Amino acid sequence: MSKPAAAKSSPQKTPSKPANDGKVKKLIKVNLALQVLEAYEGEERIYKFECVTGDALNATRRGKWRIFRKEQDYRSREYKVDMDYAMFFYQGQAIHQYHGMMNFGLMRNTRKYVTDMVGSAGCVRLREADARALFLWAPYQTEVHVA
């Protein structure tokens, strides 16, 4: 009896995978001076929204962060206000829907052009449609750059 021939082993090529599993990097940029939030996929800007950020006493924290918590329906226990479509990026600071007594445009323009004593308690506030769109677009761990 003869032994079966040993199978020749051929080197297996492992397909190379991009570091992010082929997904384009998503990034949210908040411009405090302009009161604007922009969302990017790679180099392409997907969204540009007007926003209202922290006031002079409760500044929105500058830096590079990541979304670590998302809550579609959320109410702040500390401030007793609704923060729907909340995406937390630094401690209790989040990007979320604006629920305020003052018209959003008036609040934003007062914050931007008149005084920085008007604004949020550090969060980044958006109009409802903008907050919803961004919430659905941005997964956990999306980078948030505040400058």
Side-chain angles (χ1 to χ4, degrees), residues 79-93:
Y79 296 103
K80 299 186 181 19
V81 296
D82 291 328
M83 296 170 47
D84 295 330
Y85 305 109
M87 295 180 288
F88 293 87
F89 60 88
Y90 174 77
Q91 296 178 354
Q93 292 187 359

Side-chain angles (χ1 to χ4, degrees), residues 51-107:
C51 65
V52 175
T53 60
D55 62 28
L57 301 176
N58 303 284
T60 303
R61 185 70 181 244
R62 293 175 185 268
K64 294 182 179 181
W65 318 104
R66 289 190 180 272
I67 294 171
F68 64 88
R69 179 179 169 198
K70 292 177 70 172
E71 299 283 346
Q72 185 169 341
D73 300 308
Y74 184 77
R75 183 164 177 85
S76 167
R77 290 182 297 264
E78 183 176 352
Y79 296 103
K80 299 186 181 19
V81 296
D82 291 328
M83 296 170 47
D84 295 330
Y85 305 109
M87 295 180 288
F88 293 87
F89 60 88
Y90 174 77
Q91 296 178 354
Q93 292 187 359
I95 300 165
H96 64 82
Q97 177 184 347
Y98 171 69
H99 289 279
M101 300 285 284
M102 186 184 289
N103 171 281
F104 181 87
L106 180 61
M107 165 74 80

